[in-house]
Amino acid sequence: ARALFWFRRDLRLDDNHALARALTEVGDVVPVFIFDRNILDPLPRQDRRVEFIHAAVASLKARLQELGSDLIVRHGDAVTWIARLAGEHKVSAVYTNEDYEPDAIARDVLAARALGVRDIPLRTFKDTVIFARAEVMTGQKKPYTVFTPYKKQWRERLGHDAVAAHPSADHLDKLAKLPESPMPSLEKLGFEPAGLAETKIDASEAGAQAALERFVDRAIVRYHEDRDFPALPGTSRLSVHNRFGTVSIRALARAALAAPKGEGAETWLSELAWRDFYFQLLYHYPDVATQPFKTEYTDIAWQNDPELFAAWCEGRTGYPIVDAAMIQLNTSGFMHNRLRMIVASFLTKDLLVDYRWGEAYFAKQLLDFDQAPNNGGWQWAASTGCDAQPYFRIFNPSRQSERFDPDAKFIKHYLPALAKADAKLLHAPWENSSKLAASGVKLGVDYPRPVVDHATQRDACLVMFKKIRET
Ligand code: FAD
């Protein structure tokens, strides 16, 4: 018997659940990857994520070729290609890992139907998360919508079985022997390089492993203290690897459980729990993809000023911590978590722009863009989400800047025009414009004046939310 293994957001050979099952249950496994036109065609022609996937697929293909097999790579409609390849290779089943996004679920329904016509089952397995769908539920068998009790149960159940590796790497000799075939270049797919090389991210399984080891050796024990300071290398930077599955999420949990016991590893595990939490939330409440979780906030009268939105996108709001963060995003495809919270709060509660505008902008720019955590993060910051920041808690960007970038190291790195200024002046530059001018920074010339006044906007935001609560 033969099986097809369909790689999607699991671009690795080690500890890959569905791959392990295909190799042990069927053997003679034909690996395939489809560049899905339905996803790729609407994207801009320069897209860092497509570049990352292309590099990760190329690396996977090279490893499979070393093993005497290959990765069959196609470009087109994924469902059509999967059904066609399954027929060509006369397989008895197609194996793949579950995907919980609404569009991906719909695609799998179509794939199962197209294969069903040929009597070929689509077998899917949990791989992307530690606990999926309805595995962690309340006593009343309802999905959790509050993180703390979810996390408590999640953590209690995080034993050996939950994080055990699936032994795909032990059975690679069972891969089908295949002649080497070419794969389409990035240009052939219709894309241009988008600066992945400059990010120095190694888009491969080995690159993910190295990043995990670096984090566990150097930073995990101090994670709870360092994680909020964007100028420190305090977090793992593994999110892009989690997005594309160049590392197993179980490997991350195993590494944390094996690390020195303490707040560092526990806090990091909590972040992995947040990730699972948002995945199960999107699964149970797919409407959050387009609507506030708290439906009473559907009619908020966001002001949606396009000029303010453009200033935010381009990092010229006059609030250095916000601007530096946006420049980090625009130039590298990454943004530190503390800064994601600050800029999301600023867009929604200072600029009074609909969180969905920001969510969509992040989706375009972030290398680690993932629908569940991105939507969860935005709805948290905008106070429209479940277990979100209460609407009256509004970050003061200047106080956030003082607390989390006290020496303005991060700000100065991304806003070189401010490099010579005294750090103390950079949390609220408009309050110190003459001192700032003395250090060579003229507001309105070298760096923008603030586009809004925080105190005024804070009041307007409270009014905007209260109107909804009173109706
Ligand atoms: P670490 O601090 O090392 O955390 C380890 C891993 O845990 C991360 O790689 C990530 O997979 C997961 N994780 C960490 N924090 C969170 C969180 N709050 N929610 C869910 N998972 C988390 N994360 C994404 O992966 N994709 C997104 O599109 C995304 N959009 C966000 C948008 C907003 C507005 C906010 C506030 C947060 C968003 N996050 C998103 C969560 C978080 O900011 C990133 O996962 C984190 O900054 C990635 O850096 P790291 O790998 O160094 O994380």
Side-chain angles (χ1 to χ4, degrees):
R2 261 197 159 185
L4 211 61
F5 177 71
W6 181 12
F7 279 106
R8 289 133 38 128
R9 49 171 302 160
D10 53 351
L11 302 176
R12 67 180 188 284
L13 296 181
D14 194 22
D15 189 3
N16 181 320
H17 189 180
L19 179 60
R21 296 291 282 264
L23 291 166
T24 52
E25 290 173 4
V26 185
D28 204 17
V29 171
V30 178
V32 303
F33 180 85
I34 316 293
F35 282 101
D36 192 344
R37 274 190 177 277
N38 304 317
I39 300 173
L40 296 189
D41 285 356
L43 298 177
R45 296 300 90 187
Q46 285 193 326
D47 188 295
R48 284 188 204 99
R49 268 161 309 160
V50 177
E51 212 181 344
F52 183 99
I53 298 170
H54 191 270
V57 166
S59 150
L60 202 53
K61 188 170 172 70
R63 283 192 61 206
L64 287 162
Q65 289 180 345
E66 279 165 25
L67 294 162
S69 187
D70 196 14
L71 179 63
I72 297 177
V73 182
R74 295 288 182 267
H75 180 208
D77 176 64
V79 170
T80 309
W81 266 117
I82 287 300
R84 184 164 154 193
L85 289 168
E88 277 172 20
H89 290 272
K90 300 193 173 50
V91 301
S92 59
V94 175
Y95 282 72
T96 199
N97 285 310
E98 287 165 2
D99 193 324
Y100 309 101
E101 290 183 2
D103 288 352
I105 290 172
R107 182 175 70 170
D108 281 350
V109 169
L110 293 179
R113 207 176 290 155
L115 291 165
V117 173
R118 299 168 195 255
D119 264 343
I120 302 170
L122 177 69
R123 301 221 161 99
T124 63
F125 299 88
K126 176 180 72 169
D127 183 73
T128 298
V129 291
I130 295 171
F131 295 112
R133 291 183 179 138
E135 282 188 282
V136 177
M137 300 282 267
T138 68
Q140 288 78 45
K141 302 266 173 279
K142 292 225 175 88
Y144 279 104
T145 54
V146 180
F147 178 69
T148 307
Y150 172 87
K151 153 73 197 308
K152 187 166 178 283
Q153 195 191 133
W154 184 96
R155 183 64 185 89
E156 277 164 12
R157 292 176 48 186
L158 197 71
H160 173 267
D161 288 352
V163 301
H166 294 284
S168 44
D170 298 344
H171 298 280
L172 298 174
D173 54 330
K174 298 196 182 103
L175 288 162
K177 301 291 171 229
L178 296 168
E180 290 190 7
S181 59
M183 71 177 265
S185 64
L186 195 62
E187 290 70 24
K188 196 85 201 282
L189 296 173
F191 289 85
E192 295 158 22
L196 183 70
E198 287 98 86
T199 66
K200 302 206 175 62
I201 293 171
D202 180 346
S204 71
E205 198 168 346
Q209 193 54 38
L212 177 56
E213 280 165 21
R214 215 166 31 237
F215 175 69
V216 170
D217 287 350
R218 296 186 201 162
I220 197 169
V221 291
R222 286 195 313 274
Y223 179 75
H224 57 300
E225 287 167 352
D226 291 357
R227 60 191 284 252
D228 272 318
F229 297 89
L232 295 178
T235 72
S236 71
R237 296 293 195 108
L238 280 163
S239 49
V240 64
H241 295 293
N242 290 336
R243 172 63 185 87
F244 297 112
T246 32
V247 70
S248 147
I249 195 70
R250 293 172 297 280
L252 267 62
R254 290 196 297 273
L257 292 171
K261 296 238 169 307
E263 256 190 88
E266 281 303 323
T267 310
W268 199 56
L269 280 171
S270 273
E271 296 308 314
L272 304 187
W274 270 110
R275 185 173 174 278
D276 274 13
F277 180 72
Y278 284 139
F279 270 93
Q280 62 88 34
L281 195 78
L282 179 61
Y283 177 76
H284 289 289
Y285 303 95
D287 288 352
V288 297
T290 53
Q291 297 300 323
F293 177 87
K294 292 192 174 128
T295 47
E296 66 269 29
Y297 287 149
T298 306
D299 298 324
I300 287 187
W302 302 104
Q303 292 182 1
N304 293 341
D305 180 328
E307 280 174 23
L308 291 179
F309 180 61
W312 178 85
C313 293
E314 290 162 23
R316 46 180 181 78
T317 66
Y319 285 78
I321 194 72
V322 173
D323 295 340
M326 295 307 290
I327 307 269
Q328 179 185 37
L329 176 65
N330 294 340
T331 56
S332 73
F334 183 80
M335 190 192 289
H336 187 278
N337 181 61
R338 170 57 50 182
L339 302 173
R340 294 187 204 204
M341 297 195 295
I342 295 173
V343 304
S345 173
F346 190 78
L347 182 72
T348 53
K349 295 181 177 170
D350 282 81
L351 302 183
L352 310 178
V353 170
D354 191 328
Y355 74 88
R356 285 166 288 204
W357 292 29
E359 184 190 358
Y361 188 73
F362 268 30
K364 257 198 278 177
Q365 295 292 335
L366 276 176
L367 203 41
D368 65 24
F369 162 59
D370 213 343
Q371 190 179 14
N374 191 48
N375 181 266
W378 274 98
Q379 293 226 34
W380 179 88
S383 301
T384 60
C386 77
D387 205 6
Q389 176 95 307
Y391 76 95
F392 48 81
R393 268 209 63 203
I394 297 176
F395 279 174
N396 179 324
S398 306
R399 299 291 91 78
Q400 291 284 317
S401 181
E402 268 164 7
R403 255 179 92 187
F404 298 114
D405 193 24
D407 305 323
K409 232 177 120 181
F410 181 86
I411 290 175
K412 291 182 176 191
H413 181 80
Y414 284 98
L415 299 173
L418 303 178
K420 289 208 203 79
D422 181 348
K424 285 200 267 324
L425 307 179
L426 294 181
H427 307 299
W430 57 91
E431 285 174 3
N432 303 286
S433 51
S434 52
K435 278 195 198 155
L436 210 56
S439 62
V441 181
K442 262 189 99 180
L443 277 194
V445 178
D446 304 302
Y447 182 70
R449 290 180 209 284
V451 289
V452 291
D453 169 55
H454 173 68
T456 312
Q457 296 303 102
R458 186 178 180 284
D459 291 345
C461 176
L462 291 173
V463 170
M464 185 175 85
F465 271 91
K466 277 185 192 144
K467 259 195 200 142
I468 291 285
R469 298 184 74 80
E470 283 157 11
T471 50

